[in-house]
Amino acid sequence: MGKITGFMEFERQEEDHLEPVARLKNYKEFVITLTDAQAKVQGARCMDCGIPFCNTGCPVNNIIPDWNDLVFHGNYRHALENLHSTNNFPEFTGRICPAPCESACTLGINDDPVGIKSIERKIIDTGWEHGWVVPQPPEHRTGRKVAVVGSGPAGLAAAQQLARVGHDVTVFEKSDRLGGLLRYGIPDFKMEKDLIDRRVEQMQAEGVTFRTGVLIGKDFPAAVSNMARDTIFPEDLEKEFDAVIMAGGAEQPRDLPVPGRQLKGVHFAMDFLPQQNRVNAGDKLKDQLKATGKHVIVIGGGDTGSDCVGTSNRHGAASVTQFELLPQPPEHENKPLVWPYWPTRLRTSSSHEEGCERDWAVATKRLEGKGGKVEKLIACRVEWKDGKMTEVPDSEFELKADLVLLAMGFVSPVQQVLDAFGVQKDPRGNARATTEGELAYQTSNPKVFTAGDMRRGQSLVVWAIREGRQCARAVDEFLMGASVLPR
């Protein structure tokens, strides 16, 4: 505990950031990492409480009080070692994780919680700056081969762990660049992609092989097949490798079955967001979806919807409106009731601060337009009672709409992959696998394991990293009979 009375003396210090007028001019990150002095103060606020609920609030179980104390004393080298012991990619989570650890912070019961996420980012950014993040190649090779399908956070975490204990790991990615939804689902202004590239270089030095533009499976629709240069059937993968990990994302979006859905100008969020990331990377796209000068309506109040807002603002949209079907949450949660669990409360993102009209308890009834192009959205107010939704009488209204983006979440992974491997599914269409016991992360096909969104459904990057790490241990035990990898 760095300073016994620190939690009483110091206030929470938020990270500085560029003002909206400046950050809307480009797609660069705009959050400024804490200074050494600011991080020291935040570390001093940690109470080192008897039961650190932040540890269990964090899906990867970061040893938060320990590295808070190390940062307070300026020992960033050991803080980095501590952080890496539970998290392969803290530069990802330090930027885009919603920080459930902070909701579980004991200080948060009656005060602002410790700025855990900002300290995490400070530690890893300092580590990269000083050259402390280096490859960790294995001391010996096992001769066992593992295929990882998907290069998102779950696949990367599993691949790195398995490579470090000596397995020959090959990661297959259907896109032209690595990173999965980190690459093409997260806008650059939230996380720049050179962060992925330098981790890939580290993993290559540790022995991981990466193959992009490769689809694993069969019977894909043309839109998916055209993304890749090559297709490998699962049976061939199982013959070549001793174990396979399915670690793809939950990429099947929830659709909006209303009249007018077929009109031009109505798109899934993941048709819109990846295009801008590709342009930022230097690609030349024909007929890019642009919000420039348009009245944009985003349907869905989560993070993906927020990302559509931020991207539309950078395009120069005439207006941006975001709808949510559920009622507006309270501005402040009832802490004694919900702590240490993740609270339901109103959350305003940096994209919202840049300009957006937000509305809640709104349902879309239909979309209308002329010449096959959307021009307006007809909606109504709804009310919720006992978990049931009913339309408010005489509440119908319309809004001008040139571009409608559907950001209502994702229902499951791509089914063609699961069907091709022949694995059992849960009722939501995910690969069925437990997380405990001897069969942890193992599917109904004994040679095939699964982790991340493909097993648990749409979730957080930090959960994907956790599952990737745990799945790696399960695969190592499957191949070697025992494992020294942490779980």
Side-chain angles (χ1 to χ4, degrees):
M1 188 172 184
K3 185 173 176 58
I4 294 177
T5 57
F7 69 96
M8 296 187 292
E9 297 177 27
F10 304 122
E11 295 182 356
R12 178 184 171 96
Q13 171 70 56
E14 299 289 348
E15 292 169 308
D16 291 330
H17 54 78
L18 300 180
E19 294 301 317
V21 67
R23 64 196 195 220
L24 286 176
K25 295 178 180 178
N26 56 58
Y27 294 88
K28 299 293 186 181
E29 290 183 12
F30 51 83
V31 175
I32 302 170
T33 305
L34 296 178
T35 64
D36 290 353
Q38 290 171 334
K40 180 181 177 72
V41 169
Q42 281 305 292
R45 295 187 74 237
C46 181
M47 301 170 67
D48 195 17
C49 47
I51 301 177
F53 287 89
C54 57
N55 286 21
T56 52
C58 171
V60 294
N61 303 127
N62 280 331
I63 313 169
I64 295 164
D66 289 26
W67 45 255
N68 280 341
D69 179 68
L70 289 165
V71 165
F72 174 80
H73 288 99
N75 194 340
Y76 282 94
R77 187 72 179 261
H78 286 164
L80 180 66
E81 293 174 359
N82 182 300
L83 181 55
H84 268 151
S85 71
T86 56
N87 186 350
N88 294 67
F89 314 117
E91 63 270 41
F92 302 163
T93 52
R95 284 166 168 79
I96 60 176
C97 181
C101 54
E102 294 188 8
S103 296
C105 175
T106 302
L107 183 56
I109 295 175
N110 64 344
D111 199 349
D112 292 329
V114 175
I116 299 169
K117 178 180 173 181
S118 63
I119 297 175
E120 177 180 35
R121 175 169 174 167
K122 172 65 175 177
I123 294 170
I124 184 59
D125 285 1
T126 300
W128 281 107
E129 179 184 347
H130 287 82
W132 298 335
V133 185
V134 296
Q136 300 177 35
E139 295 181 359
H140 65 277
R141 295 287 179 182
T142 65
R144 303 299 178 90
K145 299 174 64 177
V146 181
V148 177
V149 181
S151 68
L156 291 178
Q160 186 168 63
Q161 293 294 93
L162 288 167
R164 287 178 173 178
V165 291
H167 301 304
D168 293 325
V169 182
T170 302
V171 177
F172 295 89
E173 169 58 50
K174 70 177 183 297
S175 298
D176 57 341
R177 296 182 179 92
L178 298 164
L181 291 175
L182 287 172
R183 173 76 64 176
Y184 289 129
I186 304 295
D188 289 6
F189 56 81
K190 290 176 68 175
M191 194 188 86
E192 294 181 22
K193 304 309 180 255
D194 61 330
L195 303 178
I196 303 172
D197 297 335
R198 65 187 184 186
R199 278 296 183 183
V200 169
E201 290 178 5
Q202 179 197 34
M203 293 174 64
Q204 288 174 325
E206 293 170 345
V208 179
T209 300
F210 292 96
R211 292 185 58 185
T212 57
V214 180
L215 271 176
I216 306 298
K218 49 190 172 184
D219 301 326
F220 289 100
V224 178
S225 298
N226 292 337
M227 294 175 58
R229 300 185 303 270
D230 192 13
T231 299
I232 298 178
F233 293 149
E235 52 265 33
D236 296 328
L237 208 64
E238 292 180 56
K239 289 178 182 177
E240 182 180 353
F241 293 88
D242 299 298
V244 178
I245 298 176
M246 298 189 303
E251 298 182 71
Q252 190 67 41
R254 184 174 285 108
D255 208 342
L256 182 68
V258 298
R261 167 65 180 87
Q262 79 287 350
L263 291 170
K264 293 181 180 178
V266 183
H267 302 274
F268 288 119
M270 290 306 295
D271 293 331
F272 175 70
L273 294 173
Q275 289 193 358
Q276 186 57 56
N277 286 10
R278 289 183 179 277
V279 170
N280 294 345
D283 292 354
K284 303 296 183 183
L285 299 187
K286 183 180 179 181
D287 301 324
Q288 179 191 355
L289 290 177
K290 296 279 285 187
T292 310
K294 296 179 180 178
H295 296 280
V296 180
I297 295 181
V298 179
I299 302 177
D303 288 341
T304 303
S306 171
D307 294 342
C308 290
V309 171
T311 302
S312 296
N313 282 327
R314 282 161 177 76
H315 283 179
S319 68
V320 183
T321 303
Q322 185 179 23
F323 289 159
E324 169 58 58
L325 186 64
L326 296 173
Q328 180 175 344
E331 291 192 12
H332 303 285
E333 71 272 26
N334 185 339
K335 288 186 178 181
L337 178 66
V338 300
W339 180 89
Y341 300 107
W342 181 251
T344 298
R345 60 176 174 81
L346 180 63
R347 302 177 193 278
T348 300
S349 73
S350 59
S351 293
H352 295 139
E353 294 170 351
E354 293 163 359
C356 175
E357 292 293 329
R358 304 170 72 187
D359 209 346
W360 289 266
V362 174
T364 303
K365 297 191 71 173
R366 63 187 180 277
L367 299 160
E368 297 180 357
K370 294 179 182 178
K373 178 74 172 65
V374 67
E375 291 186 335
K376 58 184 177 180
L377 180 146
I378 312 301
C380 66
R381 303 286 174 184
V382 297
E383 59 183 5
W384 293 81
K385 186 175 182 180
D386 299 327
K388 296 182 179 180
M389 182 188 75
T390 57
E391 180 178 342
V392 176
D394 302 320
S395 66
E396 188 172 296
F397 64 98
E398 67 178 55
L399 284 175
K400 189 172 183 178
D402 304 309
L403 177 62
V404 178
L405 300 173
L406 308 181
M408 302 173 294
F410 303 86
V411 296
S412 70
V414 176
Q415 295 299 293
Q416 287 85 348
V417 178
L418 305 187
D419 293 340
F421 276 103
V423 300
Q424 294 180 1
K425 306 175 189 177
D426 67 16
R428 296 182 299 159
N430 303 316
R432 185 188 295 276
T434 182
T435 61
E436 303 292 339
E438 294 182 1
L439 302 179
Y441 295 95
Q442 193 173 36
T443 68
S444 55
N445 182 335
K447 205 174 182 179
V448 179
F449 294 73
T450 184
D453 287 6
M454 197 164 271
R455 190 204 69 83
R456 65 181 291 116
Q458 178 190 4
S459 192
L460 305 176
V461 167
V462 67
W463 272 107
I465 294 173
R466 171 199 172 104
E467 295 217 347
R469 288 171 61 90
Q470 292 188 346
C471 182
R473 179 182 171 92
V475 170
D476 192 32
E477 290 177 334
F478 171 76
L479 295 175
M480 308 302 293
S483 177
V484 297
L485 288 172
R487 193 173 187 281

